[in-house]
Amino acid sequence: MSDIYSKYETVIGLEVHAQLLTESKLFCSDSAAFGGAPNTHVSPITLAHPGTLPRMNRKAAEYAIKLGLACHCEIVKENYFARKNYFYPDLPKGYQVSQHTAPICKGGYVSISTDAGNRQVQLNRIHLEEDAGKLLHDQAPSDSYVDYNRAGVPLVEIVSEPDMHTSDEAYAYLTELRRLVRYLGVCDGNMEEGSMRCDANISVRLKGATTLGTKVEVKNMNSIRNVKRAIDNEVKRQIDLIEAGGTLVQETRSFDASNGSSFSLRSKEEANDYRYFPEPDLAPFKLSDEFIADISATLPALPEELIRKYTKEYGLPEYDARVICDDKATADYFESLTTVTSHYKAAANWMLGPVKSWQNEQSKEISAFPVKPEALAALISLTDSGKISFSIASSRILPEMISTPDDPMEIATRLNLLQDNNADNIIPIIDEVLAKYPDKVAAFRGGKKGLMSLFVGEVMKLSKGKADPRLTNELLAQKLKG
């Protein structure tokens, strides 16, 4: 980085909207499912016909609380909704029902891991609100259409403090947040379909300064990678403008992923522009301690907890633990696997090696993997006991297990793959190999210890892979001493 850019510190705050996986909308029974023909998931309540009254979706509140607990937030017990007034064609009411002064969750944090280390990104709030509809600009050459299917779908907005300073931190934060909502089952985290959306508030200031610079909001980013790209682009734009003597204005910009640039949409609104006031058609709601405790009891083991367990109790490298915990279904499979085997590192190696390879080759999730944890544990036991090699287990026996329900021991016996750990059978093969390479034997005894792998490989080849590698190494070491 040039001296010009290294003079500045970046300050980033993210606003993330996550669509909750409820069956119905936030204030009516219309379907909240993604897709469907335009304007088929609507009713007079969604379309804000006169005389219609909203009713709160209890499940949406439960999901918001579940996420708040997972993010270490304070759960606010006395809640109400407010009207946020702005006039967009995809907003059928002419206002949005949201929470303003009384978010359901306050404070909290999300733990992240980057190359610079582990830290906690502080949250400001998590609040409930309804989604808007969707404008369609590609249906006709000169007209725009509006689809109200999404209008009224329940959202949580997760608002961080301006607590991130690099695009890498923002990337790690969004990755962890998406993993959290998926673990909890409250959102599918699909940014491409718009069920998780992110706006980035970005400013720069000279290093050592204590006041924040002029904030610019960047919208329209449909992947975590594009959020990172947009932040890097905006930081460079702001610093270049300041260094050229220009003036930054507080505005909202849109990111164009096709060329990695942004363009201005409008000047940034302030809270008073929305003229918030309490929603008169919805009564305030109060959360009891018992209600919150019941939700807390349903929380699954979360990535942070599992990673700590796998590294501290199971002795796994942090990298292995994090990769396993990237996906809840994978972590669930590994959890089941560790209940039937105590070979934790071997189990992790199988998950990150042969099992992951099968998923990649088949383009399938772990839920489609046909080998049950109990059967994989039996295969791990066979390899750890020395009855078969890992190479044979992964290349010959596992493919058989994928296509047949047979026990791995039955497969190994049927295919004559069990390793020979009888020294009387292996020694003649070793003698044959050493007799074949007298010059290599002399070189080994002269100090070239790397030749051991050559001898082991030749023994394995002559035994058709059946010689126990550990016993072969021991026997070879004894023979080569002489």
Side-chain angles (χ1 to χ4, degrees), residues 64-66 68-69 73-77 103-106 287 292:
I65 294 167
K66 185 178 282 191
L69 292 170
C73 301
E74 172 197 349
I75 307 302
V76 178
K77 294 178 182 176
I104 196 166
C105 309
K106 283 185 177 179
L287 306 172
I292 297 170

Side-chain angles (χ1 to χ4, degrees), residues 284-304:
F285 62 98
K286 181 179 286 190
L287 306 172
S288 68
D289 291 332
E290 293 76 17
F291 183 68
I292 297 170
D294 287 345
I295 296 170
S296 180
T298 68
L299 288 177
L302 297 173
E304 191 178 351

Side-chain angles (χ1 to χ4, degrees), residues 450-470:
L451 288 168
M452 178 64 83
S453 60
L454 167 69
F455 300 136
V456 172
E458 287 297 312
V459 172
M460 296 305 294
K461 188 188 300 181
L462 287 175
S463 69
K464 297 181 180 178
K466 295 181 67 176
D468 183 338
R470 281 176 288 192

Side-chain angles (χ1 to χ4, degrees), residues 342-363:
S342 59
H343 302 294
Y344 304 127
K345 185 64 173 80
N349 290 343
W350 275 91
M351 292 293 297
L352 302 179
V355 177
K356 190 66 176 176
S357 294
W358 178 87
Q359 288 182 248
N360 292 338
E361 290 165 5
Q362 302 295 321
S363 298

Side-chain angles (χ1 to χ4, degrees), residues 327-474:
D327 169 64
K328 185 176 187 299
T330 301
D332 286 345
Y333 188 100
F334 185 71
E335 280 286 285
S336 298
L337 185 57
T338 56
T339 64
V340 287
T341 181
S342 59
H343 302 294
Y344 304 127
K345 185 64 173 80
N349 290 343
W350 275 91
M351 292 293 297
L352 302 179
V355 177
K356 190 66 176 176
S357 294
W358 178 87
Q359 288 182 248
N360 292 338
E361 290 165 5
Q362 302 295 321
S363 298
K364 291 182 178 179
E365 301 296 324
I366 188 71
S367 56
F369 188 54
V371 180
K372 301 302 180 188
E374 294 79 8
L376 186 57
L379 184 58
I380 291 170
S381 179
L382 277 182
T383 58
D384 276 37
S385 65
K387 290 186 172 69
I388 53 174
S389 68
F390 176 81
S391 174
I392 292 295
S394 59
S395 65
R396 299 287 303 279
I397 297 180
L398 184 63
E400 286 284 324
M401 294 172 67
I402 288 170
S403 59
T404 177
D406 288 354
D407 177 81
M409 186 64 173
E410 294 175 7
I411 295 170
T413 303
R414 170 164 52 84
L415 298 179
N416 193 27
L417 297 173
L418 290 174
Q419 283 187 164
D420 189 349
N421 54 16
N422 186 331
D424 292 339
N425 296 333
I426 298 173
I427 287 173
I429 300 175
I430 289 176
D431 290 340
E432 183 180 345
V433 169
L434 297 184
K436 183 180 177 182
Y437 296 103
D439 54 333
K440 303 294 185 185
V441 171
F444 179 89
R445 288 172 176 163
K448 293 188 176 181
K449 303 303 182 185
L451 288 168
M452 178 64 83
S453 60
L454 167 69
F455 300 136
V456 172
E458 287 297 312
V459 172
M460 296 305 294
K461 188 188 300 181
L462 287 175
S463 69
K464 297 181 180 178
K466 295 181 67 176
D468 183 338
R470 281 176 288 192
L471 181 57
T472 298
N473 271 278
E474 291 173 10

Side-chain angles (χ1 to χ4, degrees), residues 51-63:
T52 57
L53 289 174
R55 183 178 179 182
M56 174 67 183
N57 185 331
R58 177 188 176 101
K59 183 62 71 174
E62 290 179 15
Y63 284 175

